[in-house]
Amino acid sequence: MTKPLLSAYRVYASTWSTIEYLPYAKLKNEIHIVLAFARDYDGEGKYQNGKFFPYFETSKLNADEIQNIKDRAASTSIKFFLSIGAPHSKFPFAVTSAQECDWRKNATESLKQIVQNYKIDGIDVYYEHINPDAMHQFGNSIEKVMWSLKSNNIITDASITVSAPLRKYYFDLYKKNEKLFDYVVYQSHTELSRISTFQELGAVFDKLLYPKNKILAGHSDVAPGDWTNVPPPIFLGAVPQLLDKQGLFGISKWIVTGLL
């Protein structure tokens, strides 16, 4: 009996050097390269209400280099995503009800410009922190902007990256917009309690209510503490079991460097 294979491999990257030597043409999987990050905060960390700026290595990860990577990949399907948000508490989703209309307008226009300037295929929504007075606006604001970009063919793909503490908010967003989001990354390293066995981590993914053919199992060991609750060997050991149950579309790994 043939073992099930991963359909996609995703990496989060911020510099050219971290993805330059990936063996694109030798990989049979669909590859996602997620450029991290675009944020609506300026270089001094001041909130800009929907006016997003790219914070990956724009001097080298430009439109020509992105196209060059796609050309080198031969028949391998490569999709570039722009990840909006951040895993850091200093860059939360911060839209108040009074700012919501302006945020949607600003976000739609600024993200459109970044996507077109760098020839990016899709947008990944990745906020690990939402301000208390922005909770109500999160789903509605993201939904409106993403539908506008996708329905106007600015992007072809959309994904959400889900952390354990915000699981409910992301599922509410997805449930209202199942046709909008093509992929769901669940970041296992954000689990709130210690995972000690493959089976325990498998049970976490079994309980996710998203379609199995959209789920990518995510993990990071980049930032201090990422491996505290889900050590890398536990994550890697759980992946084959998830595949055996046909409960996984792909895996996602962080190779982000210091430009966060």
Side-chain angles (χ1 to χ4, degrees), residues 5-177:
L5 299 174
L6 291 168
S7 297
Y9 180 69
R10 169 178 287 214
V11 294
Y12 286 77
S14 56
T15 63
W16 167 245
S17 62
T18 54
I19 62 173
E20 182 178 6
Y21 297 112
L22 290 177
Y24 300 105
K26 295 182 180 180
L27 294 174
K28 296 180 181 180
N29 315 63
E30 179 177 295
I31 300 173
H32 300 175
I33 298 177
V34 186
L35 303 177
F37 288 93
R39 302 189 290 258
D40 56 339
Y41 290 80
D42 66 17
E44 297 179 351
K46 295 179 180 178
Y47 182 58
Q48 299 298 306
N49 195 33
K51 295 179 181 178
F52 281 84
F53 303 91
Y55 286 97
F56 53 88
E57 191 178 24
T58 55
S59 61
K60 293 184 178 180
L61 281 167
N62 52 41
D64 289 339
E65 290 301 338
I66 287 173
Q67 186 58 52
N68 180 49
I69 288 174
K70 290 183 175 182
D71 292 342
R72 283 166 50 197
S75 59
T76 303
S77 173
I78 292 190
K79 297 178 180 180
F80 275 82
F81 287 75
L82 176 69
S83 192
I84 63 171
H88 300 300
S89 58
K90 62 182 178 180
F91 302 120
F93 184 83
V95 183
T96 65
S97 57
Q99 298 169 327
E100 189 171 7
C101 288
D102 286 340
W103 187 89
R104 291 181 201 162
K105 179 180 178 182
N106 294 338
T108 301
E109 185 55 36
S110 60
L111 292 173
K112 174 183 175 181
Q113 290 181 5
I114 297 171
V115 166
Q116 292 180 333
N117 287 346
Y118 293 92
K119 296 184 179 178
I120 292 169
D121 303 294
I123 287 181
D124 173 64
V125 180
Y126 189 173
Y127 285 94
E128 281 196 22
H129 300 274
I130 304 174
N131 281 351
D133 60 352
M135 294 288 190
H136 183 71
Q137 289 76 246
F138 175 71
N140 200 41
S141 297
I142 294 293
E143 166 191 328
K144 294 293 192 298
V145 171
M146 296 294 281
W147 270 121
S148 176
L149 294 171
K150 203 169 187 183
S151 62
N152 287 296
N153 298 316
I154 305 302
I155 60 173
T156 57
D157 295 272
S159 64
I160 52 175
T161 295
V162 182
S163 62
L166 296 179
R167 192 179 323 201
K168 176 186 182 303
Y169 295 95
Y170 276 98
F171 184 71
D172 289 347
L173 170 63
Y174 176 83
K175 194 62 179 175
K176 288 180 61 181
N177 302 279

Side-chain angles (χ1 to χ4, degrees), residues 144-215:
K144 294 293 192 298
V145 171
M146 296 294 281
W147 270 121
S148 176
L149 294 171
K150 203 169 187 183
S151 62
N152 287 296
N153 298 316
I154 305 302
I155 60 173
T156 57
D157 295 272
S159 64
I160 52 175
T161 295
V162 182
S163 62
L166 296 179
R167 192 179 323 201
K168 176 186 182 303
Y169 295 95
Y170 276 98
F171 184 71
D172 289 347
L173 170 63
Y174 176 83
K175 194 62 179 175
K176 288 180 61 181
N177 302 279
E178 294 183 28
K179 293 183 179 179
L180 172 60
F181 295 107
D182 306 285
Y183 310 99
V184 177
V185 181
Y186 185 75
Q187 296 288 39
S188 62
H189 62 278
T190 65
E191 279 294 300
L192 300 177
S193 58
R194 178 79 173 181
I195 302 292
S196 301
T197 68
F198 305 154
Q199 292 76 17
E200 288 176 358
L201 187 55
V204 169
F205 280 91
D206 287 343
K207 292 177 182 177
L208 296 178
L209 299 178
Y210 304 99
K212 302 302 183 184
N213 62 356
K214 290 187 178 183
I215 295 177

